[in-house]
Every structure is written in C-alpha cells, then in structure tokens.
Amino acid sequence: MVKQLQLSVTLLLMLGNLCRSSWADTPIPPSYHWGRGISWPAAGFNLGGYANFLYQHPEQRTDALKLDELSLLISWSPWQRLRFFSEIELDDWLSTTNSNSFGQAIRGERLYVDWLATETTTLRLGKFLTPIGRWNVIHAAPLIWTTTRPLVTNEQLFSHHLNGAMLTQRIQLNERNLDISIYADHSSQFDVFDSANTGFDTAFGGRVNFELSEAWQIGLSIIDFTYELYPKADRNELFGVDFMWKKDGYEVSAEAIYRDADDRQGHEKGLYLQGIVPLAKHVFAMGRYEYLNGSHQFIATDTHIGVVGLAWRPYVPLVLKAEYRLGIQNELVAPSGFFTSISMFF
C-alpha cells in the first residue's frame, strides 16, 4: 500500500512537471483587457489608448462640447532590453465650436525607443514628454485629477515635448530611489511632426527625483532652451521644484517654476498646490490654488486662481470629473467657469 501511494505521488509529480513544461512552451495568445488594451505577450506587443470628452462653460465665452483627446498607445519589446513606444493623438478633432480637420488634429505625441543598458540605466531616443515637474510627464487625462491644467504647466512656458536623447540613472540610497535624468534636444531638426514650429529650437537640461519615504517624493528640474519660432532670441532658463505626498487615498502635490531670459521675453514665476481627499468609495474631492506672474506670453500682473471639484472613479480605467474655476486677473489666461470631462483608457 505504501509503495502504491509513493508511486501515485511520483506519477502526479511527473504529470505536474509535464503540464508546467507544456504551459511554459505554449505561447499565450493575444487578449484584450479593458483599460490595458490588446496584449500579445509572445511578441512583446501592446495596443491601447484613451479618450477624453470635455464640456466647458467659461464665463463670458462660448460653451464647448468636444472630443478633446483620442490617443492610440503602441508599445513593442522585440528584445528584453529594447522597447519601442508611440502615441498618436487626435487633438480637438470633434467640437461644437472650432473643430480641427483630421489633418490638423492628428499628431505624433510621442515616438521613442528605450534601451535598458543595465537594470538601473536607460537611454531614450526620439520624441518624448519634457521632464519638468510631475504634471507634464503624467500626461494622460484618465491619470490626472482635474479637467483643467495648472498654468505653470502650460505650453506657453515650455514645450511639452523634447526631440533628442535622454539618459536616466537610478541610484539606491538607504533603500530609496534617486532618479537622475539629463537630456539634449534639437527639435528644429528632429521633430518631423511639428509643422507649426511650436516646440523648442534647441534645449538641454535635467531632472532629479528622490523618494524621501514611501509617501514623500521631491523633484528638481532645470532646462536651458530657445524656441523654434524665435531661434535668434536670447536663451531661456527655467528652474522648477516639486513634491508629492500620497497615503491612504489622500494626496498633496505642488510645483513651482521660474523662467527668465535677458531680452524682451522677460520672465515668469508661479506655482500650484493641489490636494485630494477621499469622500466615499471611488469619490474624491479636489482643491487647487494657482499663482502666476509673467511678462512673456502671459500678462504682466499677479494672477490668482482657485479650482474646486469632484472626481468619481467607478472603475480603474474610467474617471468622471467636474470642477469650478474662479480667480483674480485670470480672464485672459484661465477664465472662470464650469468644466467637466469623462476620461477612459480602452
């Protein structure tokens, strides 16, 4: 009886090992999951995206209902240390006010390749998001808490994209991550998607982000650049500091910037402070204060803005947002009014 039991156990173990080997050798077929897109693990390929529908009711301006963003996200890793990524976006394509034509709306938002030289060192080449502060690199509408964007992250202060190379190094300090990135840009030569010449002409800079604890992070950013529309103007220097605190559904974040040039471009300085508080299951309250003073493409006065709102995340890929914005000396740059949106990964 004991011998029979031992033989049965041995046969079961052999069968289990055979099944595991068979499963490991069988490629996982492509599959779709809401919010994560179509995944094909055997090919290292993923196809997904997100959409953002927006309604705005600014005071003393025309109401608008529009498909603000429709983005297609494609990633492909043919080898373990190599990854290609692209984001193709339709921007303001369908609107009740001024819709862009398909040719005007479509653009290459991101297109780059990452080479993982080591487990802690990455080289990125192509078009990618400018690593200034936190808001700009988060980017996707379903990942941010509000429909409106803080003024200090506006594209009038710096281009949202770089075209060139970035080297990132991760260092462990007392079991906390210190990420250091340096980059160089030559958008006037490399950005074949920017027919309007709205990006940088040349730029170089860097960013440091340090995890102080599990809840706290702090970042420093610096960039020296010229605009493609004004390549002969004096160079701009922009400095930024930011932090993030997150715990148990609560969140506090802030960014402050200072941009300066020696010629008539002048300077700007500003900040925002934003807090998130969970109210009920999947429902969050949001409050944000913004300050801006500048003379470049903004008005040369003190602008103060307050934003209050709610965000409902009934499912992970879906968020519904509603907010009201009001302020002082804000009519030209960020008019008061009601804003709401529905954002979803697909």
Side-chain angles (χ1 to χ4, degrees):
M1 182 70 179
V2 174
K3 290 183 178 181
Q4 291 177 341
L5 181 60
Q6 290 175 341
L7 180 61
S8 300
V9 171
T10 302
L11 289 173
L12 287 173
L13 290 173
M14 291 175 61
L15 181 61
N17 290 331
L18 181 63
C19 289
R20 283 195 294 271
S21 176
S22 175
W23 293 337
D25 294 338
T26 303
I28 301 175
S31 61
Y32 173 78
H33 297 279
W34 181 34
R36 291 184 290 173
I38 299 172
S39 179
W40 188 4
F45 180 82
N46 185 267
L47 172 64
Y50 66 90
N52 184 40
F53 297 90
L54 164 68
Y55 172 73
Q56 56 187 20
H57 177 66
E59 295 179 0
Q60 301 178 351
R61 296 196 185 184
T62 305
D63 294 7
L65 176 64
K66 58 184 177 180
L67 176 58
D68 189 47
E69 295 170 298
L70 179 61
S71 289
L72 190 66
L73 306 175
I74 304 170
S75 65
W76 177 46
S77 298
W79 297 283
Q80 185 176 3
R81 294 188 178 276
L82 196 67
R83 183 178 78 120
F84 295 90
F85 181 85
S86 70
E87 179 181 3
I88 310 301
E89 181 175 285
L90 286 170
D91 188 33
D92 287 345
W93 180 32
L94 302 175
S95 175
T96 56
T97 53
N98 297 320
S99 294
N100 288 328
S101 66
F102 185 84
Q104 293 174 321
I106 193 168
R107 62 183 184 182
E109 188 77 359
R110 288 182 280 176
L111 180 62
Y112 61 80
V113 57
D114 280 340
W115 176 50
L116 281 67
T118 69
E119 292 184 356
T120 58
T121 306
T122 303
L123 176 63
R124 176 168 294 180
L125 299 172
K127 181 174 184 177
F128 47 93
L129 298 171
T130 307
I132 295 178
R134 300 182 180 276
W135 195 284
N136 196 55
V137 292
I138 293 175
H139 180 71
L143 298 178
I144 58 179
W145 289 105
T146 61
T147 300
T148 58
R149 186 179 182 122
L151 283 178
V152 294
T153 69
N154 196 290
E155 200 158 18
Q156 291 176 303
L157 288 173
F158 61 89
S159 173
H160 290 168
H161 305 89
L162 291 166
N163 292 271
M166 180 170 69
L167 182 66
T168 300
Q169 178 68 50
R170 172 163 292 180
I171 302 171
Q172 286 275 328
L173 295 176
N174 296 324
E175 299 184 349
R176 299 297 174 187
N177 290 326
L178 172 66
D179 294 317
I180 303 173
S181 299
I182 56 173
Y183 53 82
D185 166 280
H186 202 339
S187 292
S188 58
Q189 296 295 319
F190 298 144
D191 192 358
V192 297
F193 302 104
D194 186 16
S195 58
N197 298 329
T198 58
F200 294 127
D201 177 49
T202 60
F204 59 90
R207 173 168 171 77
V208 176
N209 185 73
F210 183 51
E211 295 179 342
L212 298 173
S213 67
E214 187 175 344
W216 284 92
Q217 293 187 31
I218 187 169
L220 299 172
S221 306
I222 182 172
I223 183 171
D224 182 282
F225 64 91
T226 57
Y227 287 110
E228 192 168 356
L229 284 174
Y230 313 105
K232 295 183 179 180
D234 280 5
R235 300 192 68 85
N236 291 253
E237 293 181 342
L238 187 147
F239 305 91
V241 60
D242 57 85
F243 78 84
M244 169 73 74
W245 175 83
K246 296 175 68 173
K247 189 172 183 180
D248 300 330
Y250 294 86
E251 181 179 309
V252 179
S253 60
E255 295 185 32
I257 60 97
Y258 176 78
R259 188 209 58 83
D260 186 45
D262 291 333
D263 61 6
R264 60 183 177 83
Q265 297 176 82
H267 69 274
E268 277 97 18
K269 57 184 177 181
L271 59 86
Y272 78 80
L273 176 64
Q274 179 173 283
I276 305 298
V277 177
L279 297 180
K281 189 175 182 180
H282 308 307
V283 179
F284 301 83
M286 183 280 304
R288 184 170 71 226
Y289 167 74
E290 302 180 42
Y291 166 77
L292 184 72
N293 176 280
S295 58
H296 179 34
Q297 298 186 50
F298 293 97
I299 54 177
T301 186
D302 289 333
T303 296
H304 300 270
I305 293 174
V307 181
V308 292
L310 295 173
W312 178 36
R313 296 182 180 270
Y315 304 99
V316 173
L318 177 67
V319 56
L320 291 81
K321 296 173 271 190
E323 67 209 59
Y324 189 82
R325 181 173 66 191
L326 69 165
I328 301 172
Q329 301 291 344
N330 65 312
E331 293 82 5
L332 295 179
V333 292
S336 301
F338 175 74
F339 303 84
T340 185
S341 62
I342 301 175
S343 307
M344 183 185 71
F345 283 110
F346 52 80

